[in-house]
Amino acid sequence: MNTAWMEDPELIQRARIVLVLFLSKKSRGELVELIMNWLDDSDIYRFCNRYLEKADLDYIEGAKVRRLNNAR
């Protein structure tokens, strides 16, 4: 990460504003593509746990499949 950016809150605020303006002009498909291209495998866990609902996380982790198998 760029240290100069991290040490300058005003720069970070300007970057956030510009990003919001930039992203607001993108279609849903473009937004999905941007997010998926940006996320590394190591980022996906954190991203999913922050934004997905528990049922989605359960599905990803196979909990739904395990519950169904255990019910048989």
Side-chain angles (χ1 to χ4, degrees):
M1 181 170 286
N2 188 314
T3 308
W5 280 47
M6 291 304 299
E7 294 173 353
D8 188 344
E10 288 180 22
L11 192 149
I12 292 293
Q13 185 62 29
R14 286 194 306 273
R16 288 180 187 273
I17 292 167
V18 171
L19 275 172
V20 166
L21 294 172
F22 169 77
L23 294 172
S24 68
K25 297 175 187 174
K26 299 294 180 188
S27 70
R28 287 182 180 184
E30 289 173 312
L31 289 173
V32 168
E33 185 178 345
L34 279 168
I35 291 168
M36 295 312 293
N37 286 338
W38 178 76
L39 287 175
D40 289 328
D41 288 350
S42 61
D43 298 319
I44 289 178
Y45 173 81
R46 242 182 25 241
F47 187 88
C48 288
N49 277 277
R50 182 170 184 173
Y51 295 107
L52 296 182
E53 295 179 7
K54 183 175 179 349
D56 294 327
L57 292 171
D58 287 348
Y59 174 77
I60 290 169
E61 295 174 350
K64 184 176 185 180
V65 172
R66 284 194 297 272
R67 278 197 307 270
L68 290 174
N69 288 337
N70 290 337
R72 292 181 186 170

